[in-house]
Every structure is written in C-alpha cells, then in structure tokens.
Amino acid sequence: MPIDMSPYIAGHKEILTSLSPDRVLTIQLNRPKAYNALCTQLLKEVSETLVQATTDDNLHCVVLTGGLKNFAAGADITEMADKTPVDVLNDSRQLYWGIIRNFSKPMVGAINGFCLGGGCELAMHCDILIAGRTAQFGQPEINLGIIPGAGGTQRLTQMIGKSKAMKLILTGQFMSADEAEKAGLIAEVCEPEQTIEKAQSLAAIIAKKPPIAARLAKESVLKASDGLLQEGLAFERKAFALLFATQDKAEGVDAFMNKRKPTFKGR
Ligand code: CO8
C-alpha cells in the first residue's frame, strides 16, 4: 500500500502521487470534473515526474492511473480549440510527449472509464495495461475534424491490427475492455475497484526484478516495433497540424463545446 501521499514534486496540482515502500510510484491524473482531459499543465506535471523518477534509485516501476472513474477523455478540447497549425507544430506538449515516450523504467497503466483520444494515446505509452470491466477505449478525434496526434494511428495499429484500428479511428466508436483484451490492447480485465491495486501488485513484482535488466527488457521489446514507428509518428504529427487549418475542425470543436451534432463539409 502507498504510504507517502505528499506530492512527489512540490507544487503539482493536476496529478496526485504516492510512493510505496516496494519502490512503486503511482501517478494519478487529477482533473475529475473534465474527465481528466489532458491539459498542458497536466502533461507537464506527468513528464516532470517521470524525469525525476528516471534518476530516483528508490523507484523501480511506475503505475499511471486516472483513478476509479475515468482514465482520460482526451486532450483538453477547450484549451486546443483556437490553435493554428503553426501553434500545433510549436506546441510545448510535444516536448512532454517526448519525455513520456522515452521514459526508461517499466510503467503499468490502470484504466477505468473513458480512455479516449490523447487519453488512449497516453495509456498506450504504458508498457502493460490493466483495465476495469467498464473501461472504454477509443480515438474519436475524427468527430472533431482531426486525427490522433500523439501516436494513436501508429501504436493502436501495431497493437490491435489495421482493421480494428481503422474501425476505431474512422468511426470514432469505442471498444469495451473485453474487446480490448481480446484485441491485445490490454493485458488483463478486472473489476473496476480492483484496477489500481492489481496494477500496483504487478508493478511491485516488476520492482523486485533487477532494475537494469528490466529497463533493457523494456527497451528491447519496444525495439520490436520501433523501425517504422518514427516515420509514422512524424507523418501523423504533420497531418494532425494540417487539420487545424480546416473548417471541419472548427465545426467539430464548436459542436463539441456547444453539445450539438457537427455538420462536416470537407473544407
Ligand atoms: N476536453 C475538455 N473537456 C472535456 C473533454 C475533453 N476531451 N471530455 C469531456 N470533457 C468535459 C465536458 O466538456 C464536460 O464538461 P462540463 O460538465 O463543464 O460541460 C465534462 O467533461 C463531462 O463531459 P460530458 O458532459 O460530455 O459527459 P458524457 O458522460 O455525456 O460524455 C464523453 C463523456 C463521451 C467522454 C464526452 O465528454 C466526449 O465525447 N468527450 C470528448 C472525447 C474526445 O473527443 N476525445 C478526443 C479529444 S481530441 C484529442 O485527444 C487529441 C486532439 C486534441 C485537439 C483537440 C482540439 C481540436
């Protein structure tokens, strides 16, 4: 059980952290009213925590969770609504995603509720995913006139295959935890209230293993799919930025914010 509930880094507000005696750091996204939507400050706090965790010898494994209700319903749409393609290309969020992508210690995700858009992309940066039975996964960016921009088109395709990835990305529909387990997106399904505990127990097992071997095992497994990934990520990023110039993006975001159905015109 976690003992230290004080922030791992002083001043962090958008995440909660706890460090257990078995060398597991739990990071909990903490914007419940916005379904843990990933605002820039939240991403900054997660990445700062991971930077510190990298050199902390008391810490061998991380659990990343959104708590018992929702993992994260995506990037914060209100924050990104007015961004231009140039804003997207210059966005500091890319730096934070890079830190998350390069985190070298094993990271277990504990997922409940909505795990959508940037939330699903964040989950896919974890090395092992445990999900509550009622969790829902999806990349619904298409409903906003855009596409995933933090690796979703690449990692989801690698993890569940082209046809299922296309289905989620092109329709914006969600996938249940059971389907996600069958498809290979997650390792295990459990009762929602057990998710964090299960992830922490798994992390504690990993934390007892030799840490250098664990780090190199993670790096080696990621190499299995790294070859084409970099090219795909770079393409996705440019396509994502380009879509911020379309009227369909403006329509999709306005429709979301005003809780109405969008009408897309291909402009
Ligand atoms: N960003 C900001 N606020 C959000 C988000 C989000 N991604 N998701 C939910 N919220 C807020 C809602 O605005 C609402 O706030 P309020 O109570 O103030 O009205 C509150 O959370 C609860 O949401 P709902 O009332 O909609 O709750 P429901 O239970 O009816 O629906 C859903 C929950 C299905 C999760 C629904 O909120 C939804 O569809 N959310 C958006 C999901 C989505 O599209 N995610 C992808 C986002 S895009 C992305 O991640 C990458 C691109 C970033 C650029 C975006 C700008 C162009």
Side-chain angles (χ1 to χ4, degrees):
M1 284 301 285
I3 46 161
D4 181 3
M5 290 303 291
S6 60
Y8 186 59
I9 297 179
H12 280 179
K13 298 271 187 316
E14 308 288 2
I15 59 172
L16 303 172
T17 46
S18 63
L19 187 55
S20 71
D22 43 17
R23 300 179 182 226
V24 173
L25 176 74
T26 300
I27 303 173
Q28 181 170 331
L29 314 180
N30 187 36
R31 302 186 73 218
K33 283 192 186 140
Y35 287 27
N36 289 336
L38 308 174
C39 64
T40 303
Q41 180 62 26
L42 183 149
L43 278 182
K44 181 172 186 275
E45 292 183 12
V46 170
S47 58
E48 282 172 351
T49 301
L50 295 181
V51 168
Q52 183 148 321
T54 302
T55 52
D56 185 344
D57 290 340
N58 285 319
L59 194 167
H60 288 182
C61 191
V62 168
V63 168
L64 182 64
T65 184
L68 293 178
K69 289 207 167 135
N70 292 297
F71 183 69
D76 191 315
I77 296 169
T78 56
E79 189 184 66
M80 295 191 73
D82 297 327
K83 288 200 190 290
T84 65
V86 174
D87 293 334
V88 173
L89 288 174
N90 291 336
D91 202 336
S92 61
R93 298 167 65 90
Q94 282 195 73
L95 172 72
Y96 305 138
W97 279 112
I99 290 168
I100 296 165
R101 181 165 68 241
N102 291 319
F103 181 58
S104 57
K105 295 183 183 180
M107 185 153 72
V108 181
I111 315 294
N112 279 309
F114 291 116
C115 183
L116 305 175
C120 191
E121 291 172 303
L122 180 60
M124 288 189 285
H125 281 76
C126 295
D127 303 306
I128 303 171
L129 291 176
I130 309 287
R133 209 164 289 292
T134 51
Q136 297 192 70
F137 298 83
Q139 297 287 164
E141 287 90 341
I142 193 114
N143 296 329
L144 299 169
I146 56 169
I147 63 171
T153 61
Q154 306 303 297
R155 291 195 181 84
L156 192 65
T157 308
Q158 282 179 349
M159 292 174 85
I160 69 174
K162 174 183 150 186
S163 191
K164 285 183 194 296
M166 286 283 192
K167 188 177 170 212
L168 293 194
I169 292 167
L170 292 176
T171 66
Q173 289 172 358
F174 304 158
M175 182 183 251
S176 70
D178 282 334
E179 285 176 282
E181 186 191 23
K182 271 190 216 123
L185 181 59
I186 61 176
E188 197 179 325
V189 181
C190 62
E191 293 313 314
E193 58 280 8
Q194 292 172 352
T195 317
I196 299 174
E197 220 169 289
K198 282 221 173 232
Q200 287 171 331
S201 305
L202 192 62
I205 293 172
I206 296 167
K208 287 195 184 67
K209 305 297 178 194
I212 302 171
R215 204 178 69 213
L216 289 175
K218 168 172 175 162
E219 202 177 334
S220 299
V221 172
L222 291 177
K223 287 279 178 221
S225 53
D226 207 31
L228 286 173
L229 184 64
Q230 298 311 324
E231 207 180 307
L233 290 177
F235 178 85
E236 179 199 82
R237 195 69 211 166
K238 289 202 179 103
F240 177 75
L242 178 69
L243 286 162
F244 276 67
T246 64
Q247 290 174 20
D248 283 346
K249 174 257 172 187
E251 166 66 7
V253 171
D254 185 74
F256 174 78
M257 303 225 286
N258 291 298
K259 300 188 188 284
R260 64 172 175 83
K261 281 202 159 44
T263 308
F264 296 120
K265 296 189 172 145
R267 299 269 176 222

